[in-house]
Amino acid sequence: MTIIIDGKEISKKILAEIKAETKLLYDKYEVKPGLAVIIVGEDPASKIYVKKKRQTCESLGFYSESYDLDENISEKELLNLISDLNNEPSIHGILVQLPLPKHLNEKKILEFIDYEKDVDAFHPINQANLFSGEPSILPCTPFGIIELLKRYEIKIEGKHAVIIGRSNIVGKPLSLMLLKENATVTICHSKTNNLSYFTKQADILISAVGKPEFIKADMVKENSVIIDVGINRLDTGKLVGDIDFENVKDKTYAITPVPGGVGPMTISMLMKNTLITCKKLSF
Ligand code: GUN
């Protein structure tokens, strides 16, 4: 029987653990994890993500600040806000929702966030720490994937992990995290020749490409573990991943569904990062 990896359930458990620790922190030291969430403009998908992040903060007993900024805000104004938040002791995490409007220099803005409050782990210092194998903050989606594998007791060491996608948010950091767990790692991408040659070798296959149901049953190894990071909306309105789930699942040992797999883990790990930075900055 294939294991359907229940990200929703694991995510709930993690949030319950965070909530319990948050209460303990407050009862004992009157310290509350504080997260500032900044959104610039009106991108509908970003607004939904940000709303969910803010609601989750509230449900955990975190302190949260919300900044909904005008599309036309100047770079200087945004940097001033980040500077204030960098210096604000009640704030332990600063999240600037991406993408930003074109006139704002995303790299400059992300680098301006105090790296100790960088709960997305996008700052060059946090990227470098991950590169050297001594991370203090991990990027949320790859962190969630590793957590799912561990909580399902899926062995990583010695396995061939094949990642499709080389983004700075998922593919690249995940490759480093899997290496640290002693996997053998292959990264494939849109220019890889003969993709299925690689995917068929994967003990653990992670797809983060954003092409609906693009990985078919004949592209995966028998009894492998499949992690689907894709979230694609079909014209019918249905949400599907990168994996042709219905036809692939019976061939696998374990597989994440979409929705309800990797997706819910990302917010949980953001909250976990905020708790981690809170403890680091408070004690
Ligand atoms: N936009 C899409 N994913 C993310 C994310 O993980 N963090 C931020 N800040 N913006 C995003």
Side-chain angles (χ1 to χ4, degrees):
M1 268 298 277
T2 299
I3 297 168
I4 307 294
I5 296 176
D6 191 342
K8 217 169 151 183
E9 194 55 38
I10 299 288
S11 167
K12 261 197 226 160
K13 271 192 197 156
I14 293 170
L15 291 177
E17 291 163 13
I18 296 170
K19 188 171 180 172
E21 199 174 336
T22 301
K23 185 174 182 316
L24 217 69
L25 261 183
Y26 190 74
D27 290 349
K28 230 174 157 181
Y29 305 105
E30 289 195 4
V31 167
K32 245 186 200 191
L35 178 66
V37 180
I38 302 170
I39 179 171
V40 184
E42 304 292 329
D43 179 72
S46 292
K47 285 186 109 159
I48 293 170
Y49 290 134
V50 161
K51 189 171 166 198
K52 186 89 188 128
K53 288 170 187 176
R54 289 168 176 166
Q55 283 171 344
T56 310
C57 273
E58 195 143 316
S59 73
L60 296 177
F62 281 16
Y63 170 65
S64 86
E65 290 186 4
S66 300
Y67 296 91
D68 294 79
L69 306 178
D70 188 87
E71 176 86 32
N72 298 314
I73 190 171
S74 71
E75 197 166 279
K76 189 158 179 286
E77 282 174 286
L78 180 53
L79 292 176
N80 280 341
L81 169 62
I82 293 172
S83 173
D84 289 345
L85 294 168
N86 282 342
N87 293 316
E88 173 52 54
S90 62
I91 292 295
H92 311 101
I94 302 169
L95 181 136
V96 178
Q97 186 67 25
L98 303 178
L100 286 169
K102 290 272 178 292
H103 70 282
L104 299 171
N105 182 338
E106 196 166 286
K107 186 169 182 289
K108 184 171 170 189
I109 286 157
L110 295 179
E111 288 181 8
F112 200 70
I113 295 172
D114 178 348
Y115 75 96
E116 291 192 296
K117 296 189 178 186
D118 168 36
V119 281
D120 267 323
F122 293 162
H123 192 284
I125 294 181
N126 289 318
Q127 291 177 332
N129 288 340
L130 177 58
F131 189 90
S132 67
E134 287 163 17
S136 50
I137 309 175
L138 293 165
C140 304
T141 301
F143 191 9
I145 292 169
I146 300 286
E147 195 68 22
L148 275 182
L149 294 171
K150 288 192 171 169
R151 293 203 182 216
Y152 272 86
E153 297 180 351
I154 290 166
K155 190 168 175 236
I156 303 174
E157 182 164 304
K159 302 292 182 188
H160 186 189
V162 176
I163 302 167
I164 319 175
R166 54 178 156 176
S167 71
N168 289 339
I169 297 184
V170 183
K172 275 192 232 170
L174 181 61
S175 68
L176 295 167
M177 289 161 74
L178 287 165
L179 265 184
K180 192 169 163 64
E181 299 293 333
N182 298 316
T184 301
V185 180
T186 299
I187 307 177
C188 301
H189 47 79
S190 54
K191 301 287 190 286
T192 298
N193 286 333
N194 199 359
L195 180 66
S196 62
Y197 168 80
F198 296 98
T199 57
K200 278 193 273 192
Q201 294 178 39
D203 300 312
I204 303 172
L205 178 66
I206 302 110
S207 181
V209 285
K211 288 188 190 168
E213 298 174 328
F214 148 79
I215 305 289
K216 304 292 183 194
D218 63 356
M219 295 171 75
V220 308
K221 184 171 163 179
E222 202 87 42
N223 286 321
S224 55
V225 174
I226 313 271
I227 305 291
D228 193 348
V229 191
I231 302 176
N232 312 290
R233 197 172 288 281
L234 301 179
D235 291 339
T236 59
K238 190 180 172 208
L239 271 190
V240 298
D242 293 346
I243 313 288
D244 181 5
F245 183 83
E246 280 311 316
N247 294 309
V248 169
K249 72 176 193 305
D250 293 336
K251 206 175 166 184
T252 66
Y253 170 74
I255 185 166
T256 60
V258 175
V262 173
M265 295 297 289
T266 300
I267 285 194
S268 302
M269 303 328 277
L270 171 70
M271 299 299 143
K272 186 152 182 137
N273 278 346
T274 307
L275 178 61
I276 291 169
T277 55
C278 168
K279 288 193 286 186
K280 191 139 187 278
L281 291 165
S282 303
F283 301 107

